[in-house]
Amino acid sequence: MITDKQIEPDVYPAHPTKAKAFLKGTLAIMPLTIAVVPWGILAGSFAIEVGLTPIESQAMSAIIFAGSAQLVALGMVKAGIGLWSILITTLLITSRHLLYAMAMRSQISPLPLKWRLTLGFLLTDELFAIANQGKLHKFDPWYALGGGLSFYIGWNLATLLGIVAGNAIENLGELGLDFAIAATFIALVMPTVKKPSILVCVLVSLTLAVVCALFEIQAGLLIAAIAGMTAGVLYAKVTQEAERAQQSANQLANTQAQARAGTESQTDTMTETKSISGEKA
């Protein structure tokens, strides 16, 4: 039995009710949901082009729920590549979700099983971007559920639109809808580049991803991700980025404390002056 205590909203700033937390999650992910619509249309139309039925095309988005893996798998099906090659390739492409799960494990593992299964299925790049806000923002399952579920619905509606458009509009894939993939990931990455170590991570990952793509290395995304994270961590350790950031935070806290103390002292002095003036009068 799930109690309110087990899934009590614990995010900073705190959401007063489950409904408000759910709504905040929905609104937070809404720009990304809108941005992914062309991607979903492309996935639906491409599935029809490959030869899947409308039901099979919709089921692919409803069950797999992984845009890049779906598009790559459909391309391999169209090229007549074998099942095992498709499975291994999609496993490598979606392996980044293992990294997401590891990053959020401490926040999700205390939740009941049905919460872990639900959020695990809904975990995407977009949900990770809004729900994993670091140690200063505690995790709220209702906030994550609102974001993940609304994105899931948006993705499937976009796929349905692509299925309908794929049957009605010829050469839909030539409209450049695949650029939505790059645009979505750029929108996810850029707001997180707030420290030099993250910038190093992004640049190394970007460079290696391009190199691996040029040499047609199937595990290129995984290689680029691991190398980028390693480079970022090494840069942070060599430059003592965390220590310097902590020192800056402590200095700021001390400055604010001194300012508050000075303000309180001035207030007390003014109060005492008024009291003395009143007694003389």
Side-chain angles (χ1 to χ4, degrees), residues 94-142:
T94 56
S95 58
R96 66 186 186 279
H97 291 84
L98 175 62
L99 302 178
Y100 297 160
M102 291 172 62
M104 299 183 69
R105 182 178 181 277
S106 61
Q107 300 168 316
I108 295 181
S109 58
L111 299 174
L113 178 61
K114 68 179 184 180
W115 272 98
R116 299 200 301 271
L117 292 176
T118 300
L119 295 179
F121 174 74
L122 295 175
L123 181 60
T124 59
D125 307 289
E126 292 78 8
L127 180 59
F128 180 79
I130 70 160
N132 187 57
Q133 296 294 325
K135 296 180 180 180
L136 296 179
H137 292 71
K138 295 181 181 179
F139 183 75
D140 184 347
W142 289 100

Side-chain angles (χ1 to χ4, degrees), residues 70-281:
Q70 288 178 225
L71 291 173
V72 171
L74 288 170
M76 296 178 74
V77 169
K78 186 177 182 179
I81 296 176
L83 176 61
W84 282 108
S85 296
I86 295 175
L87 292 176
I88 292 173
T89 301
T90 53
L91 176 63
L92 291 173
I93 291 173
T94 56
S95 58
R96 66 186 186 279
H97 291 84
L98 175 62
L99 302 178
Y100 297 160
M102 291 172 62
M104 299 183 69
R105 182 178 181 277
S106 61
Q107 300 168 316
I108 295 181
S109 58
L111 299 174
L113 178 61
K114 68 179 184 180
W115 272 98
R116 299 200 301 271
L117 292 176
T118 300
L119 295 179
F121 174 74
L122 295 175
L123 181 60
T124 59
D125 307 289
E126 292 78 8
L127 180 59
F128 180 79
I130 70 160
N132 187 57
Q133 296 294 325
K135 296 180 180 180
L136 296 179
H137 292 71
K138 295 181 181 179
F139 183 75
D140 184 347
W142 289 100
Y143 179 85
L145 181 63
L149 186 59
S150 61
F151 188 82
Y152 176 78
I153 294 172
W155 172 254
N156 279 274
L157 289 176
T159 301
L160 178 60
L161 182 58
I163 293 170
V164 175
N167 284 322
I169 304 175
E170 296 183 0
N171 300 322
L172 188 61
E174 298 179 1
L175 298 180
L177 297 177
D178 53 341
F179 179 72
I181 301 173
T184 300
F185 280 99
I186 291 172
L188 288 173
V189 171
M190 292 307 295
T192 66
V193 183
K194 299 177 180 179
K195 298 187 294 184
S197 59
I198 298 178
L199 179 60
V200 170
C201 176
V202 170
L203 293 177
V204 171
S205 298
L206 175 63
T207 302
L208 283 180
V210 173
V211 171
C212 290
L214 291 175
F215 286 95
E216 298 182 353
I217 300 175
Q218 291 188 344
L221 289 177
L222 183 60
I223 293 172
I226 294 176
M229 289 186 293
T230 303
V233 170
L234 290 176
Y235 177 88
K237 287 186 176 181
V238 169
T239 61
Q240 297 182 337
E241 184 180 73
E243 289 79 1
R244 289 189 287 109
Q246 185 63 45
Q247 290 176 358
S248 298
N250 292 337
Q251 290 176 356
L252 179 60
N254 291 334
T255 301
Q256 292 175 341
Q258 292 174 0
R260 285 195 298 269
T263 302
E264 292 174 357
S265 177
Q266 290 178 356
T267 302
D268 292 341
T269 301
M270 292 176 63
T271 302
E272 292 177 1
T273 303
K274 290 181 180 179
S275 298
I276 294 173
S277 299
E279 291 175 359
K280 290 182 178 180

Side-chain angles (χ1 to χ4, degrees), residues 36-54:
V36 86
V37 168
W39 192 352
I41 293 174
L42 180 62
S45 63
F46 192 30
I48 295 296
E49 181 183 335
V50 168
L52 272 62
T53 66

